[in-house]
Amino acid sequence: MLTVHHLNNSRSQRVLWLLEELELPYEIKHYRRNPKSQLAPPELRAAHPLGKSPVVTDDGATVAETGAIIEYIVEKSGGRLRPPAGTPERLRWTYWLHYAEGSLMPPLLVRLIFSLLPSRSPAFMRSIVRAISSRTQAGYIEPQLKTHFDFIESELGRSSWFAGEEFSAADVMMSFPLEAAAVRANALAGRPRIKALLERIQARPAYRRALEKGGPYSYAS
Ligand SMILES: N[C@@H](CCC(=O)N[C@@H](CS)C(=O)NCC(=O)O)C(=O)O
């Protein structure tokens, strides 16, 4: 049986959603973030040495990295939610599968870290750290994020879903960075296509079932 090592409020929510879309059998092993540090508990290292979620274990195989997990599950389903090889849709599918964690998550993470810096600095340095943090955000991070969000908004004008007219696993992969961007980085303001996409995603019955099974997830409305 495929087991999803699932951390609350995390990227692994989209693995549950994919499994619900494909109606594949699975079980969940739940892990809770440390409420103070927000880090995963050390027990997750028993599943994979990095101790990050998601990880899936299945018949002796251990797969980490959301993109690799999504490819593994899609393959296991016989290639559902993946456009046929050799088509332009398949190329777009592969692109978005890599882009989500490879290009979009890093600036979102940098933004999060910079926003936390002032409150985590010693009191006597706080005003200086706040000034450095806001200058870096305004001069570097926000323009980077704007470029990404505008690009995605424009790409969504080409077709109903990321890889074409059919819903696919690329939409599942892109859901988490877009949800995080909506909540943390005001990505929906002036971007009606991203907003509409997230509404369509979050209304899907399989998405709602995954939410019930996964427990607390603060990026969905
Ligand atoms: N690129 C990896 C990132 C994995 C990752 O950073 N997961 C976060 C959850 S959103 C995590 O486990 N955070 C807890 C920690 O770092 O202790 C993937 O997509 O699987």
Side-chain angles (χ1 to χ4, degrees):
M1 171 75 82
L2 187 146
T3 302
V4 182
H5 298 262
H6 174 68
L7 182 68
N8 67 296
N9 229 357
S10 85
R11 289 161 163 90
S12 54
Q13 189 61 43
R14 62 192 155 172
V15 175
L16 306 183
W17 174 30
L18 178 66
L19 288 160
E20 289 294 330
E21 288 285 350
L22 293 167
E23 298 182 322
L24 292 177
Y26 66 98
E27 57 190 29
I28 305 177
K29 185 155 185 221
H30 289 271
Y31 300 81
R32 306 281 308 171
R33 286 181 189 271
N34 177 313
K36 227 173 153 189
S37 68
Q38 289 301 309
L39 293 176
E43 300 88 87
L44 196 48
R45 286 176 200 260
H48 187 278
L50 294 183
K52 306 271 179 202
S53 180
V55 172
V56 305
T57 44
D58 185 31
D59 263 342
T62 300
V63 192
E65 275 301 328
T66 318
I69 293 170
I70 287 190
E71 292 212 56
Y72 177 83
I73 293 171
V74 163
E75 197 62 40
K76 198 176 163 79
S77 78
R80 288 164 56 206
L81 298 184
R82 180 179 68 189
T87 61
E89 287 78 12
R90 177 63 165 272
L91 202 53
R92 289 171 71 191
W93 186 87
T94 305
Y95 174 76
W96 292 112
L97 215 66
H98 288 264
Y99 170 87
E101 288 291 327
S103 285
L104 185 52
M105 279 310 295
L108 285 168
L109 193 60
V110 173
R111 184 187 198 277
L112 178 67
I113 290 167
F114 270 85
S115 70
L116 293 174
L117 278 183
S119 63
R120 309 232 168 156
S121 305
F124 73 95
M125 290 175 68
R126 207 158 284 158
S127 58
I128 298 173
V129 173
R130 190 170 293 118
I132 295 170
S133 167
S134 55
R135 257 190 224 180
T136 312
Q137 302 230 35
Y140 175 72
I141 304 169
E142 295 305 333
Q144 291 281 325
L145 285 173
K146 182 181 178 335
T147 303
H148 279 284
F149 300 156
D150 288 348
F151 165 63
I152 296 166
E153 179 71 8
S154 140
E155 285 290 302
L156 287 173
R158 294 174 65 191
S159 54
S160 311
W161 299 99
F162 276 107
E165 289 311 317
E166 302 287 326
F167 171 76
S168 80
D171 302 298
V172 177
M173 189 69 194
M174 282 294 290
S175 63
F176 181 78
L178 288 182
E179 289 174 334
V183 170
R184 292 195 212 139
N186 200 23
L188 304 189
R191 299 191 184 89
R193 292 184 192 124
I194 301 180
K195 183 169 185 288
L197 180 92
L198 283 182
E199 283 167 2
R200 272 188 294 145
I201 278 175
Q202 294 180 355
R204 289 177 77 87
Y207 183 99
R208 307 307 305 177
R209 286 200 302 277
L211 275 188
E212 273 168 36
K213 296 194 177 165
Y217 183 67
S218 56
Y219 298 108
S221 28

